[in-house]
Amino acid sequence: MPVALLLLTGPALADCTDDVCVSLQKILAARSGNFAKLKGKATVDTRGDAVWQGTQPIGSSINACYVYKRGEGSRYEYRCDSSGFGAQPPQSAEKAKQIAADVKAAFQAADPAVVWFEDPASRALADVEGFKGTEGWYGGYAKNKAMVVRVETVISSATGNATIVTIFAKPLARRDLK
């Protein structure tokens, strides 16, 4: 099975022309081991859940990454946040949106079969006062609606602007996305 995955991802690697795409290819390649290759120092997240610092940033765009044991749908996930979880200086809404566009384009170069679906939770968040402009997408495959990645741009005067990229260790079935 791993050999077949390498054969399938081989041509996609040739299409990567920038550091964001190469970084995403490395993260996607680590999915088969539930991101074990990318686990750094053990720590806890803001909710108190166990996480590990991620060792693979997304190019020079997003440096703060974590491996979560329990992600969406109780699956491992690799999450990167351009805000650095509060450790970085605030970024403009335009910068956060540009990072999201770059990440989506890099995923498309890495895997042309990826289709993007609007994230209903992000759409609902955009209706909340203080979060106008928030956008989110799931990237996956239209045939079986299996989601591999989520890219969200949070625009908030209260919490700051950020691009959050979540890559799932196993595809997440989202039957509610159209």
Side-chain angles (χ1 to χ4, degrees):
M1 183 72 167
V3 173
L5 279 172
L6 289 174
L7 292 173
L8 290 174
T9 59
L13 286 173
D15 294 335
C16 286
T17 58
D18 64 9
D19 65 335
V20 172
C21 185
V22 170
S23 298
L24 292 172
Q25 281 286 353
K26 290 177 183 177
I27 296 169
L28 288 170
R31 289 174 64 221
S32 62
N34 288 335
F35 304 112
K37 295 177 184 175
L38 302 181
K39 286 183 182 179
K41 180 181 171 186
T43 185
V44 293
D45 73 1
T46 54
R47 298 169 298 198
D49 289 336
V51 297
W52 296 267
Q53 291 178 353
T55 58
Q56 177 61 57
I58 298 180
S60 59
S61 299
I62 307 178
N63 294 320
C65 297
Y66 292 87
V67 178
Y68 286 87
K69 183 175 183 180
R70 290 189 323 266
E72 192 165 340
S74 297
R75 302 162 191 269
Y76 275 86
E77 66 182 33
Y78 193 77
R79 178 178 168 166
C80 298
D81 186 323
S82 68
S83 73
F85 302 102
Q88 301 288 325
Q91 62 187 219
S92 68
E94 294 77 23
K95 177 68 174 170
K97 287 182 179 187
Q98 185 58 54
I99 291 171
D102 291 347
V103 169
K104 285 175 63 182
F107 265 108
Q108 208 65 55
D111 189 350
V114 169
V115 178
W116 295 97
F117 302 89
E118 185 181 9
D119 175 14
S122 295
R123 186 176 346 121
L125 182 60
D127 291 335
V128 174
E129 187 62 38
F131 288 90
K132 303 289 186 219
T134 295
E135 302 171 306
W137 308 268
Y138 280 98
Y141 305 100
K143 184 176 180 181
N144 59 7
K145 293 193 178 180
M147 302 298 111
V148 176
V149 64
R150 179 178 183 224
V151 178
E152 182 177 36
T153 305
V154 177
I155 307 300
S156 171
S157 55
T159 63
N161 306 317
T163 301
I164 302 166
V165 178
T166 306
I167 301 169
F168 305 108
K170 297 178 184 174
L172 174 71
R174 291 295 307 251
R175 306 288 179 218
D176 61 331
L177 298 175
K178 294 178 175 86

